[in-house]
Amino acid sequence: MEQKQLKRVDLIFEWDEKNTPIQVLDKTLQKTPDAIILEMIDSGLKGRGGAGFPTGLKWKFTRNEDSEVKYVICNADEGEPGTFKDREILDRVPEKIFTGMAICAYVIGAKEGYIYLRAEYNFLLKSLQQKLDKFNQQLKERQIDFSIYLRSGSGAYVCGEESALFESMEGKRGEPRNKPPYPTVAGYNSKPTVINNVETLVYTCEICRMGAEKFKALGTSDSRGSKVFSVSGDTTKPGIYELELGMPLKDFIDEFGDDDAKAVQVGGASGHCVPRKKFNDTIIGFEGIPTGGSMMIFNSSRSMYNVLHDYLEFFTEESCGQCTPCRVGCQQLLKGIEAVKKGERPPTYLEDLKKLTLTMKIAAKCGLGQSVANPFISIVDNFKEEIIY
Amino acid sequence: MTNTENFVHELAEKHGRTRNALMPILQGVVAREKYLSEEAMIAVARELDISAADVYGTATFYTFLDTVPRGRNVVRVCKTISCHMHNKDEIIRALEEQLKCKVGETTSDKKFTLLTANCLGWCHKGPVMLVNDDVYPELTPQKAIEIIQEYNRKSN
Ligand SMILES: Cc1cc2nc3c(=O)[nH]c(=O)nc-3n(C[C@H](O)[C@H](O)[C@H](O)COP(=O)(O)O)c2cc1C
Ligand code: SF4
Ligand code: FES
């Protein structure tokens, strides 16, 4: 059978000798901040950290804030189960991240930038610091008043949530804040802050290198450009792949599945589970199912009860416990599916649990509690027998 | 001043005495002493002029900022879904047998603490574990045991 190959893209890890990141920076700083913002908006780039907010607008809002002190922060807390692309980017092309941050700093008027690296990636600290020292020195030589510093996390998934990340950097418990105010108004140290995902920042550097037009030519009208996918689970080709956005899930499975895929969890524990019968009409992108990059494939030997159980354990452990719907909700969902499995509760109890996740979606304070409904409902609805029996 | 107080003082000199310096200071203590003793937390509170309860409250939020004594080498085996599918249970069993302690415990010679962790960001190469800051992907039970033996030799 002839297989349709997905279109590979090579932007993120490509090293253009004639256009190194620092040269891209020099070239870009010739433009006005407003011209750069227009280019970002025109490119259609949306955040790659999960929420998908248009990057150009984020930069514009922060630029428009009237404040002496502003910050640019790189979110390198990558904790979503199934996601490992940021680690690879941090390891292989950190100069592109630094350049994206420096361009952002120029646009919004920031003098300090931070990279918040999850503790699990501490082994990267030494080489990152060396490369950062060199980059900061290059900025100094150019008389650019901006420096980047490294900060470490300490093992808390919720600190990837932007406001929790600020709390952590401020020396507090990583508990998400109420929004508004949004980071563009009051972020780190309550100052206007741009916080972007590692991959987003690299794309801003790439867009400055090759122009918005070329970037826009990739992907679809709702999902411009490409994205780095982290492929794991029951796959013949586990690893990291940069692919065009807007691909049908079917094509993805044809290439990465093991011929026996029964479901794909798109977007990690907080994402959606897509069963085989829906592979054909599911699009990976902002018009379909968006993802921070995690693509986890399950074949027919896997129990979806175990998968859901793992996810709920994950959320129960990682919930910051600040708000009741999430703290108690996660625990009750876990207990609930265990009770149904043991026959202590009737199968109809699953409907009550689904309602609970919908309550959490409305009442939980941050994205963690709000998104538990995604895996819960998509797994329970599509694999009810496996959950019950 | 005791050793710990001296060390905390050095960290405060290096990172500053603002609240924003709290995490780097606590991380510095854990990197050296493997956990935050009561003495260390009180010393940090004094240096930063905040309450010890604040220090404790912050520390206990974070999995990697332990407030109970840990062995010289902290082993964290990933237990999340991808590694679960790739037999992390076998790795844990092998380590428990090798170290003669259960998950959550420290060996009697205080050389190792065995813990589990959520997704470590190596799902394509699971099962995986961290020993201190170092990562070991694509484990087999045999490989895991050899790695531990190597650390054991090094900590003699
Ligand atoms: C529980 C939770 C965890 C998150 N973890 C991360 C993370 O590890 N990395 C990341 O870039 N964004 C993470 N986010 C999203 C951030 O809050 C934020 O939207 C993102 O960093 C913005 O960057 P972007 O616009 O470039 O995507 C998380 C959100 C939630 C609710
Ligand atoms: S939803 Fe969960 S993680 Fe978010 S603030 Fe509430 S308790 Fe904390
Ligand atoms: S699930 Fe083990 S590293 Fe991601």
Side-chain angles (χ1 to χ4, degrees):
Chain A
M1 195 176 73
E2 203 198 338
Q3 268 205 348
K4 194 171 148 216
Q5 278 267 325
L6 286 172
K7 195 164 152 209
R8 297 283 206 294
V9 181
D10 188 17
L11 293 176
I12 292 275
F13 297 108
E14 183 201 28
W15 196 261
D16 181 352
E17 276 304 336
K18 287 192 240 70
N19 267 308
T20 62
I22 197 75
Q23 286 167 326
V24 171
L25 180 66
D26 287 335
K27 191 181 82 180
T28 309
L29 298 197
Q30 308 290 319
K31 301 182 190 171
T32 64
D34 289 323
I36 300 171
I37 286 176
L38 280 181
E39 179 125 48
M40 283 307 144
I41 293 175
D42 183 40
S43 76
L45 175 64
K46 291 181 185 170
R48 299 303 197 230
F53 192 80
T55 307
L57 286 182
K58 195 182 267 192
W59 290 17
K60 184 178 168 176
F61 294 158
T62 313
R63 172 171 168 74
N64 290 346
E65 286 299 314
D66 189 19
S67 170
E68 270 295 297
V69 180
K70 295 179 187 179
Y71 299 103
V72 45
I73 291 178
C74 168
N75 189 340
D77 198 48
E78 185 168 67
E80 188 64 54
T83 315
F84 40 89
K85 44 113 188 162
D86 291 342
R87 171 179 51 70
E88 198 92 357
I89 298 173
L90 288 154
D91 191 26
R92 286 164 60 187
V93 286
E95 294 84 359
K96 291 192 183 182
I97 308 170
F98 308 157
T99 300
M101 292 176 74
I103 293 169
C104 176
Y106 167 70
V107 166
I108 65 170
K111 294 189 176 64
E112 283 176 32
Y114 292 87
I115 298 175
Y116 185 95
L117 185 77
R118 70 187 301 219
E120 292 82 347
Y121 293 170
N122 273 351
F123 62 92
L124 287 172
L125 275 176
K126 216 182 193 168
S127 79
L128 267 180
Q129 188 62 57
Q130 277 168 2
K131 289 172 188 164
L132 206 45
D133 288 344
K134 184 172 163 217
F135 187 80
N136 282 335
Q137 185 58 34
Q138 286 174 320
L139 292 178
K140 214 181 238 166
E141 285 159 11
R142 286 165 173 74
Q143 272 143 17
I144 298 169
D145 187 10
F146 176 65
S147 306
I148 302 175
Y149 307 92
L150 280 172
R151 286 287 178 275
S152 287
S154 272
Y157 163 70
V158 72
C159 286
E161 197 280 339
E162 50 202 20
S163 63
L165 189 149
F166 303 143
E167 290 288 305
S168 176
M169 281 181 57
E170 291 173 18
K172 297 176 230 155
R173 295 166 67 84
E175 291 171 349
R177 302 172 181 168
N178 281 322
K179 287 185 215 175
Y182 291 97
T184 52
V185 176
Y188 178 48
N189 289 340
S190 305
K191 302 293 182 199
T193 303
V194 164
I195 177 162
N196 273 134
N197 173 255
V198 170
E199 185 185 346
T200 312
L201 286 163
V202 173
Y203 277 124
T204 64
C205 171
E206 286 303 300
I207 289 164
C208 291
R209 180 179 68 86
M210 65 186 193
E213 285 306 318
K214 276 195 187 155
F215 181 81
K216 248 167 59 177
L218 297 167
T220 60
S221 59
D222 290 318
S223 309
R224 298 288 185 196
S226 48
K227 156 120 210 47
V228 188
F229 290 90
S230 313
V231 184
S232 70
D234 294 312
T235 165
T236 49
K237 292 188 256 181
I240 286 160
Y241 301 88
E242 187 174 5
L243 305 168
E244 253 189 279
L245 278 173
M247 65 183 162
L249 186 55
K250 171 82 172 53
D251 294 352
F252 176 86
I253 284 300
D254 283 347
E255 183 159 348
F256 292 99
D258 63 358
D259 286 335
D260 188 26
K262 77 166 171 190
V264 185
Q265 181 75 16
V266 181
S270 63
H272 296 263
C273 181
V274 185
R276 185 188 289 143
K277 63 176 187 283
K278 291 187 188 153
F279 288 171
N280 266 323
D281 39 42
T282 298
I283 299 289
I284 303 303
F286 298 106
E287 65 269 57
I289 302 192
T291 166
S294 171
M295 302 291 279
M296 220 176 255
I297 304 174
F298 303 109
N299 70 20
S300 58
S301 75
R302 306 294 174 187
S303 148
M304 296 310 286
Y305 172 82
N306 286 347
V307 172
L308 182 60
H309 194 272
D310 258 42
Y311 290 161
L312 291 176
E313 249 177 12
F314 174 79
F315 288 122
T316 304
E317 285 174 17
E318 298 294 341
S319 163
C320 82
Q322 188 187 185
C323 66
T324 316
C326 171
R327 183 185 63 245
V328 180
C330 290
Q331 291 168 4
Q332 291 305 318
L333 291 171
L334 186 58
K335 275 194 197 163
I337 65 161
E338 286 174 352
V340 171
K341 190 80 181 171
K342 285 190 209 135
E344 292 165 8
R345 291 275 183 175
T348 48
Y349 188 59
L350 290 174
E351 295 306 313
D352 295 335
L353 295 177
K354 269 163 63 183
K355 276 191 212 139
L356 173 58
T357 65
L358 292 176
T359 304
M360 290 166 69
K361 196 170 186 165
I362 304 165
K365 189 168 171 181
C366 87
L368 190 151
Q370 289 160 9
S371 61
V372 176
N374 299 340
F376 194 88
I377 294 181
S378 58
I379 294 179
V380 166
D381 278 354
N382 290 303
F383 298 96
K384 197 164 267 159
E385 291 74 26
E386 292 188 33
I387 306 298
I388 300 170
Y389 304 110
Chain B
M1 286 206 280
T2 65
N3 259 339
T4 298
E5 284 168 348
N6 265 326
F7 185 59
V8 169
H9 183 76
E10 276 168 33
L11 287 170
E13 289 289 314
K14 181 173 165 204
H15 296 290
R17 291 185 165 76
T18 62
R19 181 76 191 242
N20 288 8
L22 181 57
M23 288 291 283
I25 291 175
L26 295 180
Q27 287 159 349
V29 175
V30 171
R32 194 176 87 155
E33 304 193 341
K34 294 294 167 188
Y35 85 111
L36 297 163
S37 60
E38 219 176 283
E39 184 193 4
M41 285 188 273
I42 290 170
V44 172
R46 284 219 184 96
E47 290 286 349
L48 300 192
D49 198 18
I50 54 180
S51 80
D54 258 350
V55 176
Y56 180 76
T58 302
T60 48
F61 185 85
Y62 297 94
T63 320
F64 280 43
L65 298 179
D66 286 306
T67 51
V68 290
R70 296 297 191 200
R72 252 174 290 163
N73 299 292
V74 179
V75 182
R76 297 173 204 267
V77 184
C78 174
K79 68 174 162 76
T80 308
I81 185 74
S82 252
C83 292
H84 195 173
M85 290 160 67
H86 291 100
N87 298 328
K88 55 100 184 165
D89 286 335
E90 276 180 29
I91 307 297
I92 292 173
R93 217 173 300 129
L95 291 176
E96 284 181 335
E97 232 163 78
Q98 173 72 20
L99 296 172
K100 300 195 173 44
C101 75
K102 295 256 171 266
V103 169
E105 294 175 357
T106 299
T107 55
S108 49
D109 60 5
K110 306 271 186 292
K111 275 191 190 167
F112 292 94
T113 297
L114 180 61
L115 301 172
T116 54
N118 280 324
C119 184
L120 296 173
W122 291 86
C123 327
H124 58 324
K125 292 190 172 168
V128 52
M129 68 178 178
L130 284 178
V131 182
N132 308 323
D133 282 347
D134 297 322
V135 55
Y136 297 95
E138 297 180 309
L139 291 176
T140 59
Q142 187 54 34
K143 232 168 113 181
I145 289 171
E146 282 164 18
I147 291 161
I148 293 304
Q149 285 170 337
E150 188 54 36
Y151 275 90
N152 193 20
R153 270 193 291 279
K154 276 192 280 178
S155 356
N156 271 334

